[in-house]
Amino acid sequence: MTTARHWFITGASRGLGRAFTEAALAAGDRVVAAARDVGPLTGPAEEHPDALVRLPLNVSDRDAVFAAVERAVEAVGHLDIVVNNAGGLLYGMVEEATERQVRDHFDVNFFGALWVTQAVIPHLRARRSGRVLQVTTMGTGSGMASVGYYGAGKAALDCVSEALAMEVEQFGIKVTVLQMGGYATELFTTGTTATAPDPAYQSLRARLAEMWGEDAGPDPATAAPLVMKLVDLPDPPRRLIVGSRSFDLVQEMHRARLEQYRAWEELSRTAPG
């Protein structure tokens, strides 16, 4: 008989977090599902009363995060898999964003994940095992107009997570950055904060809207089987692109970036560093 694993998932009430929660429960695991509003998890809680713990949490509050992780450990005994999924989108041009909007955005997308990570690592280290999955985006390798702040926050989480992976590997803890493709997660609807649009960027906005189209992407549930396979791997990758189409797009972005570097190689080599 397989021993149930214990998950701690943020942003668990919708989108990818909800999909990962349901997949873990279906596998017979126990889940502490954290979200600002845990109401949408009433159904799963009724179906899995002994396996799902709902935990209201605002990840931007560091003290609340540390307290929530302690409550999670008390509730299920220990943690095996931590998924930093909570996040939102600040949509708008770099010039348009207010200081409050930018700080609020990073408080959730970067600092929120950082606080959770800092809170769980001592527990995982004490057991000398555990997985940390950091949900970022396939777009962290290149900035994109109107979603630059989203990419910046996720890129920062990418870098910190790479450092974390090196630091905690000695304790048996495995860290994987999940560079997600586009899924129908409500990120561009209920999860979005928009800047006040400046008319100077109207034509660019129109071109971006035409380029992106109206396809919201596949159901988040289609990404869950990959995650369930990932957590079973004894030696998981530190970075993983999630999505076939996204894999191709990232490959293309890297090729374009390399070509740009090579085009200016002569200038680069004029400095000795």
Side-chain angles (χ1 to χ4, degrees), residues 121-206:
I121 289 299
H123 293 282
L124 303 182
R125 188 177 68 246
R127 291 177 56 82
R128 302 194 71 82
S129 68
R131 304 293 178 95
V132 178
L133 307 184
Q134 311 281 48
V135 177
T136 69
T137 174
M138 47 82 70
T140 57
S142 179
M144 172 64 71
S146 78
V147 291
Y149 290 111
Y150 180 74
K154 293 299 190 180
L157 182 56
D158 271 12
C159 290
V160 165
S161 299
E162 287 267 14
L164 175 72
M166 295 176 65
E167 295 165 358
V168 301
E169 186 176 33
Q170 61 183 312
F171 306 121
I173 303 169
K174 305 293 186 180
V175 180
T176 298
V177 174
L178 295 177
Q179 296 183 300
M180 307 300 302
Y183 288 85
T185 63
E186 301 179 13
L187 180 66
F188 283 91
T189 53
T190 58
T192 294
T193 297
T195 61
D198 187 321
Y201 295 101
Q202 182 176 352
S203 61
L204 175 57
R205 274 191 164 84

Coordinates of all heavy atoms in Angstrom, one line a residue, residues 121-206:
I121 N 11.0 25.4 4.3 CA 12.3 24.7 4.2 C 12.8 24.1 5.6 O 13.3 23.0 5.6 CB 13.3 25.7 3.6 CG1 13.1 25.9 2.2 CG2 14.8 25.1 3.8 CD1 13.1 24.7 1.3
P122 N 12.6 24.8 6.7 CA 13.1 24.2 7.9 C 12.4 22.8 8.2 O 13.0 21.9 8.7 CB 12.7 25.2 9.0 CG 12.8 26.5 8.3 CD 12.2 26.2 6.9
H123 N 11.1 22.7 7.9 CA 10.4 21.5 8.1 C 10.8 20.4 7.2 O 11.0 19.2 7.6 CB 8.9 21.7 7.9 CG 8.2 22.6 8.9 ND1 7.9 22.2 10.2 CD2 7.9 23.9 8.9 CE1 7.4 23.2 10.9 NE2 7.4 24.3 10.1
L124 N 11.1 20.7 5.9 CA 11.6 19.8 4.9 C 13.0 19.3 5.3 O 13.4 18.2 5.2 CB 11.5 20.3 3.5 CG 10.2 20.8 3.0 CD1 10.3 21.3 1.6 CD2 9.1 19.7 3.1
R125 N 13.8 20.3 5.7 CA 15.2 20.0 6.1 C 15.3 19.1 7.3 O 16.1 18.2 7.3 CB 15.9 21.3 6.4 CG 17.5 21.1 6.5 CD 18.2 22.4 6.8 NE 17.9 23.0 8.0 CZ 17.2 24.2 8.2 NH1 16.8 24.9 7.1 NH2 17.0 24.6 9.4
A126 N 14.4 19.3 8.2 CA 14.4 18.4 9.4 C 14.1 16.9 9.0 O 14.6 16.0 9.6 CB 13.4 18.9 10.4
R127 N 13.3 16.7 8.0 CA 13.0 15.4 7.5 C 14.0 14.9 6.4 O 13.9 13.8 6.0 CB 11.6 15.3 6.9 CG 10.5 15.5 8.0 CD 9.1 15.6 7.3 NE 8.8 14.4 6.5 CZ 8.4 13.2 7.0 NH1 8.3 13.0 8.3 NH2 8.2 12.2 6.2
R128 N 14.8 15.8 6.0 CA 15.8 15.6 4.9 C 15.1 15.0 3.7 O 15.6 14.0 3.1 CB 16.9 14.6 5.4 CG 17.7 15.2 6.6 CD 19.0 14.4 6.9 NE 20.0 14.7 5.9 CZ 20.8 15.8 5.9 NH1 20.6 16.7 6.9 NH2 21.7 16.0 5.0
S129 N 14.0 15.6 3.3 CA 13.3 15.2 2.1 C 12.3 16.2 1.8 O 12.0 17.1 2.6 CB 12.6 13.8 2.3 OG 11.6 13.9 3.2
G130 N 11.7 16.2 0.6 CA 10.7 17.1 0.2 C 10.9 17.6 -1.2 O 12.0 17.6 -1.7
R131 N 9.8 18.1 -1.7 CA 9.8 18.7 -3.1 C 9.2 20.1 -3.0 O 8.2 20.3 -2.3 CB 8.9 17.9 -4.1 CG 9.3 16.5 -4.2 CD 10.7 16.3 -4.9 NE 11.1 14.9 -5.0 CZ 10.9 14.2 -6.0 NH1 10.3 14.7 -7.1 NH2 11.4 12.9 -6.1
V132 N 9.8 21.1 -3.6 CA 9.2 22.4 -3.8 C 9.0 22.7 -5.2 O 10.0 22.7 -6.0 CB 10.2 23.5 -3.1 CG1 9.6 24.9 -3.3 CG2 10.4 23.2 -1.7
L133 N 7.8 23.0 -5.6 CA 7.5 23.3 -7.0 C 7.1 24.8 -7.1 O 6.2 25.2 -6.4 CB 6.3 22.5 -7.5 CG 6.4 20.9 -7.4 CD1 5.3 20.3 -8.0 CD2 7.7 20.4 -8.0
Q134 N 7.9 25.6 -7.9 CA 7.7 27.0 -8.0 C 7.0 27.3 -9.4 O 7.6 27.0 -10.4 CB 9.0 27.7 -7.9 CG 9.9 27.4 -6.7 CD 9.5 28.0 -5.4 OE1 8.3 28.0 -5.1 NE2 10.4 28.6 -4.7
V135 N 5.8 27.7 -9.3 CA 5.1 28.0 -10.6 C 5.4 29.3 -11.1 O 5.1 30.4 -10.5 CB 3.5 27.9 -10.3 CG1 2.8 28.2 -11.6 CG2 3.2 26.5 -9.8
T136 N 6.1 29.3 -12.3 CA 6.4 30.6 -12.9 C 5.8 30.6 -14.3 O 4.7 30.2 -14.5 CB 8.0 30.8 -12.9 OG1 8.6 29.9 -13.8 CG2 8.6 30.7 -11.5
T137 N 6.6 31.0 -15.3 CA 6.0 31.1 -16.7 C 7.1 30.9 -17.7 O 8.2 31.1 -17.5 CB 5.3 32.5 -16.9 OG1 4.9 32.6 -18.3 CG2 6.3 33.6 -16.6
M138 N 6.6 30.4 -18.9 CA 7.6 30.1 -20.0 C 8.1 31.4 -20.5 O 9.1 31.4 -21.3 CB 6.9 29.3 -21.1 CG 5.5 29.8 -21.5 SD 5.5 31.2 -22.7 CE 6.1 30.5 -24.2
G139 N 7.5 32.6 -20.1 CA 8.0 33.9 -20.7 C 9.1 34.6 -19.9 O 9.4 35.7 -20.2
T140 N 9.7 33.9 -18.9 CA 10.7 34.6 -18.1 C 12.0 34.8 -18.8 O 12.8 35.6 -18.3 CB 11.0 33.8 -16.8 OG1 11.4 32.5 -17.1 CG2 9.7 33.7 -15.9
G141 N 12.2 34.2 -19.9 CA 13.4 34.4 -20.6 C 13.4 35.6 -21.5 O 14.5 36.0 -22.1
S142 N 12.3 36.3 -21.6 CA 12.2 37.5 -22.5 C 11.0 38.3 -22.1 O 9.9 37.8 -21.8 CB 12.0 37.0 -24.0 OG 11.9 38.1 -24.8
G143 N 11.2 39.6 -22.0 CA 10.1 40.5 -21.7 C 9.1 40.7 -22.8 O 9.5 40.6 -24.0
M144 N 7.9 40.9 -22.4 CA 6.8 41.1 -23.4 C 6.0 42.4 -23.0 O 5.6 42.5 -21.8 CB 5.9 39.9 -23.4 CG 4.6 40.1 -24.3 SD 5.0 40.3 -26.0 CE 5.5 38.7 -26.5
A145 N 5.8 43.2 -24.0 CA 5.0 44.5 -23.7 C 3.7 44.2 -23.1 O 3.0 43.2 -23.4 CB 4.8 45.2 -25.1
S146 N 3.3 45.0 -22.1 CA 2.1 44.9 -21.3 C 2.0 43.9 -20.2 O 1.2 44.0 -19.3 CB 0.8 44.8 -22.2 OG 0.6 43.4 -22.6
V147 N 2.9 43.0 -20.2 CA 3.0 42.0 -19.1 C 4.4 41.9 -18.5 O 4.8 40.9 -18.0 CB 2.5 40.6 -19.6 CG1 1.0 40.6 -19.8 CG2 3.3 40.1 -20.8
G148 N 5.1 43.0 -18.6 CA 6.5 43.1 -18.2 C 6.7 42.8 -16.7 O 7.6 42.2 -16.3
Y149 N 5.7 43.4 -15.9 CA 5.8 43.2 -14.4 C 5.6 41.7 -14.0 O 6.2 41.2 -13.1 CB 4.9 44.1 -13.7 CG 5.3 45.6 -13.8 CD1 4.5 46.5 -14.6 CD2 6.4 46.0 -13.2 CE1 4.9 47.8 -14.7 CE2 6.8 47.4 -13.3 CZ 6.1 48.2 -14.0 OH 6.5 49.6 -14.2
Y150 N 4.7 41.1 -14.7 CA 4.4 39.7 -14.5 C 5.6 38.8 -14.8 O 6.1 38.0 -13.9 CB 3.2 39.2 -15.3 CG 2.9 37.7 -15.1 CD1 2.2 37.3 -14.0 CD2 3.2 36.8 -16.1 CE1 1.9 36.0 -13.8 CE2 2.9 35.4 -15.9 CZ 2.2 35.1 -14.7 OH 1.9 33.7 -14.5
G151 N 6.2 39.1 -15.9 CA 7.5 38.4 -16.3 C 8.6 38.6 -15.3 O 9.4 37.8 -15.0
A152 N 8.7 39.9 -14.9 CA 9.8 40.3 -14.0 C 9.7 39.6 -12.6 O 10.7 39.1 -12.1 CB 9.8 41.8 -13.7
G153 N 8.5 39.5 -12.1 CA 8.3 38.8 -10.8 C 8.6 37.4 -10.9 O 9.2 36.8 -10.0
K154 N 8.1 36.7 -12.0 CA 8.4 35.3 -12.2 C 9.8 35.0 -12.5 O 10.4 34.0 -12.1 CB 7.5 34.8 -13.3 CG 6.0 34.8 -13.0 CD 5.7 33.9 -11.8 CE 4.2 33.7 -11.6 NZ 3.8 32.9 -10.4
A155 N 10.5 35.9 -13.2 CA 11.9 35.8 -13.5 C 12.7 35.8 -12.2 O 13.7 35.1 -12.0 CB 12.4 36.8 -14.5
A156 N 12.3 36.7 -11.3 CA 13.0 36.8 -10.0 C 12.8 35.5 -9.2 O 13.8 35.0 -8.6 CB 12.4 38.0 -9.2
L157 N 11.6 35.0 -9.3 CA 11.4 33.7 -8.6 C 12.2 32.6 -9.2 O 12.7 31.7 -8.5 CB 9.9 33.4 -8.6 CG 9.4 32.1 -7.9 CD1 9.9 32.1 -6.4 CD2 7.9 31.9 -8.0
D158 N 12.3 32.6 -10.5 CA 13.2 31.6 -11.2 C 14.6 31.6 -10.6 O 15.1 30.6 -10.3 CB 13.2 32.0 -12.7 CG 12.1 31.3 -13.5 OD1 11.2 30.8 -13.0 OD2 12.3 31.4 -14.8
C159 N 15.2 32.8 -10.6 CA 16.6 32.9 -10.1 C 16.7 32.5 -8.7 O 17.7 31.8 -8.3 CB 17.0 34.4 -10.3 SG 17.2 34.9 -12.1
V160 N 15.8 33.0 -7.8 CA 15.9 32.6 -6.4 C 15.8 31.1 -6.2 O 16.4 30.5 -5.4 CB 14.9 33.4 -5.6 CG1 14.7 32.7 -4.2 CG2 15.3 34.8 -5.4
S161 N 14.9 30.5 -7.0 CA 14.7 29.1 -6.9 C 15.8 28.3 -7.4 O 16.1 27.2 -6.9 CB 13.4 28.7 -7.7 OG 12.3 29.4 -7.2
E162 N 16.6 28.7 -8.4 CA 17.8 28.1 -8.9 C 18.8 28.1 -7.7 O 19.5 27.1 -7.5 CB 18.3 28.8 -10.1 CG 17.6 28.5 -11.4 CD 18.1 27.4 -12.2 OE1 18.9 26.6 -11.6 OE2 17.7 27.2 -13.3
A163 N 18.9 29.2 -7.1 CA 19.9 29.3 -5.9 C 19.4 28.4 -4.8 O 20.2 27.7 -4.2 CB 19.9 30.8 -5.4
L164 N 18.1 28.4 -4.5 CA 17.6 27.6 -3.5 C 17.9 26.1 -3.7 O 18.2 25.3 -2.8 CB 16.1 27.8 -3.4 CG 15.3 26.9 -2.4 CD1 15.6 27.2 -1.0 CD2 13.8 27.0 -2.7
A165 N 17.7 25.7 -5.0 CA 17.9 24.3 -5.4 C 19.3 23.8 -5.0 O 19.6 22.7 -4.5 CB 17.6 24.1 -6.8
M166 N 20.3 24.7 -5.3 CA 21.7 24.4 -5.0 C 21.9 24.3 -3.4 O 22.7 23.5 -2.9 CB 22.6 25.5 -5.6 CG 22.6 25.5 -7.1 SD 23.7 26.9 -7.7 CE 25.3 26.4 -7.1
E167 N 21.2 25.2 -2.7 CA 21.4 25.3 -1.3 C 20.9 24.1 -0.5 O 21.4 23.6 0.5 CB 20.8 26.6 -0.7 CG 21.5 27.9 -1.3 CD 20.7 29.1 -1.0 OE1 19.6 29.0 -0.5 OE2 21.2 30.2 -1.4
V168 N 19.7 23.6 -0.9 CA 19.0 22.6 -0.1 C 19.1 21.2 -0.7 O 18.6 20.3 -0.1 CB 17.5 23.0 0.0 CG1 17.3 24.3 0.6 CG2 16.8 23.0 -1.4
E169 N 19.8 21.1 -1.8 CA 20.0 19.7 -2.4 C 20.7 18.8 -1.4 O 20.4 17.6 -1.3 CB 20.8 19.8 -3.7 CG 20.9 18.5 -4.4 CD 21.7 18.7 -5.7 OE1 22.5 19.5 -5.8 OE2 21.3 17.9 -6.6
Q170 N 21.6 19.4 -0.6 CA 22.4 18.6 0.4 C 21.5 18.0 1.5 O 21.8 17.1 2.2 CB 23.4 19.5 1.1 CG 22.9 20.7 1.8 CD 23.9 21.6 2.4 OE1 24.9 21.1 3.0 NE2 23.8 22.9 2.2
F171 N 20.2 18.6 1.6 CA 19.3 18.1 2.7 C 18.3 17.2 2.1 O 17.3 16.8 2.8 CB 18.6 19.3 3.3 CG 19.6 20.3 3.9 CD1 19.5 21.6 3.4 CD2 20.5 20.0 4.8 CE1 20.4 22.6 3.9 CE2 21.4 20.9 5.3 CZ 21.4 22.2 4.9
G172 N 18.4 16.7 0.8 CA 17.5 15.8 0.2 C 16.2 16.5 -0.3 O 15.2 15.8 -0.6
I173 N 16.3 17.8 -0.4 CA 15.1 18.6 -0.9 C 15.3 18.9 -2.4 O 16.4 19.4 -2.8 CB 14.9 19.9 -0.1 CG1 14.8 19.6 1.4 CG2 13.7 20.7 -0.6 CD1 14.9 20.9 2.3
K174 N 14.3 18.6 -3.2 CA 14.4 18.9 -4.6 C 13.5 20.1 -5.0 O 12.3 20.1 -4.6 CB 13.9 17.6 -5.4 CG 14.7 16.4 -5.0 CD 16.1 16.4 -5.5 CE 16.8 15.1 -5.2 NZ 18.3 15.1 -5.7
V175 N 14.0 21.0 -5.8 CA 13.3 22.2 -6.2 C 13.2 22.2 -7.7 O 14.1 21.9 -8.4 CB 14.0 23.5 -5.8 CG1 13.3 24.7 -6.2 CG2 14.2 23.5 -4.3
T176 N 11.9 22.4 -8.2 CA 11.7 22.5 -9.6 C 10.9 23.7 -9.9 O 9.9 24.0 -9.3 CB 10.9 21.2 -10.1 OG1 11.7 20.0 -9.9 CG2 10.7 21.4 -11.6
V177 N 11.4 24.5 -10.9 CA 10.7 25.6 -11.4 C 9.8 25.1 -12.6 O 10.2 24.6 -13.6 CB 11.6 26.7 -11.9 CG1 10.8 27.8 -12.6 CG2 12.5 27.3 -10.8
L178 N 8.5 25.3 -12.4 CA 7.5 24.9 -13.4 C 7.2 26.2 -14.3 O 6.5 27.1 -13.9 CB 6.2 24.4 -12.8 CG 6.3 23.2 -12.0 CD1 4.9 22.9 -11.4 CD2 6.7 22.0 -12.8
Q179 N 7.8 26.2 -15.5 CA 7.6 27.3 -16.4 C 6.4 27.0 -17.2 O 6.4 26.3 -18.3 CB 8.9 27.5 -17.3 CG 10.1 27.9 -16.4 CD 11.3 28.1 -17.2 OE1 11.8 27.3 -18.0 NE2 11.9 29.3 -17.1
M180 N 5.3 27.5 -16.8 CA 4.0 27.2 -17.3 C 3.7 27.9 -18.7 O 4.1 29.0 -18.9 CB 2.9 27.6 -16.4 CG 3.0 27.0 -15.0 SD 3.1 25.2 -14.9 CE 1.5 24.8 -15.6
G181 N 3.0 27.2 -19.5 CA 2.5 27.8 -20.7 C 1.1 28.4 -20.4 O 0.8 28.6 -19.3
G182 N 0.4 28.8 -21.5 CA -0.9 29.5 -21.3 C -2.0 28.5 -21.0 O -2.3 27.6 -21.9
Y183 N -2.6 28.6 -19.8 CA -3.8 27.7 -19.5 C -4.9 28.6 -19.1 O -4.8 29.8 -18.7 CB -3.4 26.8 -18.3 CG -2.5 25.7 -18.7 CD1 -1.1 25.9 -18.7 CD2 -3.0 24.4 -19.1 CE1 -0.2 24.9 -19.1 CE2 -2.1 23.4 -19.5 CZ -0.7 23.6 -19.5 OH 0.1 22.6 -19.9
A184 N -6.1 28.1 -19.2 CA -7.4 28.8 -18.9 C -7.6 28.9 -17.4 O -8.4 28.2 -16.8 CB -8.6 28.2 -19.6
T185 N -6.8 29.8 -16.8 CA -6.7 29.8 -15.3 C -7.5 31.0 -14.7 O -7.4 31.2 -13.5 CB -5.3 29.9 -14.8 OG1 -4.7 31.1 -15.3 CG2 -4.5 28.7 -15.3
E186 N -8.1 31.8 -15.5 CA -8.7 33.1 -15.1 C -7.7 34.2 -14.7 O -8.0 35.2 -14.2 CB -9.7 32.9 -13.9 CG -10.8 31.9 -14.2 CD -11.7 31.7 -12.9 OE1 -11.6 32.5 -12.0 OE2 -12.5 30.8 -12.9
L187 N -6.4 33.9 -15.1 CA -5.4 34.9 -14.8 C -5.6 36.2 -15.5 O -5.4 37.3 -14.9 CB -4.0 34.3 -15.2 CG -2.8 35.3 -15.0 CD1 -2.6 35.5 -13.5 CD2 -1.5 34.7 -15.7
F188 N -6.2 36.1 -16.7 CA -6.4 37.4 -17.5 C -7.8 37.9 -17.2 O -8.2 38.9 -17.9 CB -6.3 37.1 -19.0 CG -4.8 37.0 -19.4 CD1 -4.1 35.8 -19.4 CD2 -4.1 38.1 -19.8 CE1 -2.8 35.7 -19.8 CE2 -2.8 38.1 -20.2 CZ -2.1 36.9 -20.2
T189 N -8.5 37.4 -16.2 CA -9.8 37.9 -15.9 C -9.9 38.3 -14.4 O -9.5 39.4 -14.1 CB -10.9 36.9 -16.2 OG1 -10.6 35.6 -15.6 CG2 -11.0 36.7 -17.8
T190 N -10.3 37.4 -13.6 CA -10.4 37.7 -12.1 C -9.0 37.9 -11.5 O -8.9 38.5 -10.4 CB -11.2 36.6 -11.4 OG1 -10.5 35.3 -11.6 CG2 -12.6 36.5 -11.9
G191 N -8.0 37.3 -12.1 CA -6.7 37.4 -11.5 C -5.9 38.6 -12.0 O -4.7 38.7 -11.7
T192 N -6.5 39.6 -12.7 CA -5.8 40.7 -13.3 C -6.1 42.0 -12.7 O -7.2 42.3 -12.4 CB -6.2 40.8 -14.8 OG1 -5.7 39.6 -15.5 CG2 -5.5 42.0 -15.5
T193 N -5.0 42.8 -12.5 CA -5.1 44.2 -12.1 C -4.6 45.0 -13.3 O -3.5 44.7 -13.8 CB -4.2 44.5 -10.9 OG1 -4.7 43.8 -9.7 CG2 -4.3 46.0 -10.6
A194 N -5.4 45.9 -13.8 CA -5.0 46.6 -15.0 C -4.6 48.1 -14.7 O -5.2 48.7 -13.7 CB -6.2 46.6 -16.0
T195 N -3.6 48.6 -15.4 CA -3.2 50.0 -15.3 C -4.3 50.8 -16.0 O -5.1 50.4 -16.8 CB -1.9 50.2 -15.9 OG1 -1.9 49.9 -17.3 CG2 -0.8 49.3 -15.2
A196 N -4.2 52.1 -15.7 CA -5.0 53.1 -16.4 C -4.4 53.3 -17.8 O -3.2 53.7 -17.8 CB -5.1 54.4 -15.7
P197 N -5.0 52.9 -18.9 CA -4.4 53.0 -20.2 C -4.0 54.4 -20.7 O -4.9 55.3 -20.6 CB -5.4 52.3 -21.1 CG -6.7 52.5 -20.4 CD -6.4 52.4 -19.0
D198 N -2.8 54.6 -21.1 CA -2.4 55.8 -21.7 C -2.7 55.7 -23.2 O -2.3 54.8 -23.9 CB -0.9 56.0 -21.5 CG -0.4 57.4 -21.9 OD1 -0.8 57.8 -23.0 OD2 0.5 57.9 -21.2
P199 N -3.4 56.7 -23.8 CA -3.7 56.7 -25.2 C -2.5 56.5 -26.1 O -2.6 56.1 -27.3 CB -4.4 58.0 -25.4 CG -5.0 58.4 -24.1 CD -3.9 57.9 -23.1
A200 N -1.3 56.9 -25.6 CA -0.1 56.8 -26.4 C 0.2 55.4 -26.8 O 0.9 55.1 -27.8 CB 1.1 57.4 -25.7
Y201 N -0.3 54.4 -26.1 CA 0.0 53.0 -26.3 C -1.2 52.3 -27.0 O -1.2 51.1 -27.1 CB 0.4 52.3 -25.0 CG 1.6 52.8 -24.4 CD1 1.6 53.7 -23.4 CD2 2.9 52.4 -24.9 CE1 2.8 54.1 -22.8 CE2 4.1 52.8 -24.4 CZ 4.0 53.7 -23.3 OH 5.2 54.2 -22.8
Q202 N -2.2 53.0 -27.5 CA -3.4 52.4 -28.0 C -3.1 51.5 -29.2 O -3.7 50.4 -29.2 CB -4.4 53.5 -28.4 CG -5.7 52.9 -28.9 CD -6.7 54.0 -29.2 OE1 -6.5 55.2 -28.9 NE2 -7.9 53.7 -29.8
S203 N -2.3 51.9 -30.1 CA -2.0 51.1 -31.3 C -1.3 49.8 -30.9 O -1.5 48.8 -31.5 CB -1.2 51.9 -32.3 OG 0.0 52.3 -31.8
L204 N -0.3 49.9 -29.9 CA 0.4 48.7 -29.5 C -0.6 47.8 -28.8 O -0.5 46.6 -29.0 CB 1.5 49.1 -28.5 CG 2.3 48.0 -27.9 CD1 2.9 47.1 -29.0 CD2 3.4 48.5 -27.0
R205 N -1.5 48.3 -28.0 CA -2.4 47.4 -27.4 C -3.3 46.6 -28.4 O -3.5 45.5 -28.2 CB -3.4 48.2 -26.5 CG -2.8 48.4 -25.1 CD -3.9 49.0 -24.2 NE -3.6 48.9 -22.8 CZ -2.8 49.8 -22.1 NH1 -2.3 50.8 -22.8 NH2 -2.5 49.6 -20.9
A206 N -3.7 47.3 -29.4 CA -4.5 46.7 -30.5 C -3.7 45.6 -31.2 O -4.2 44.5 -31.5 CB -4.9 47.8 -31.5

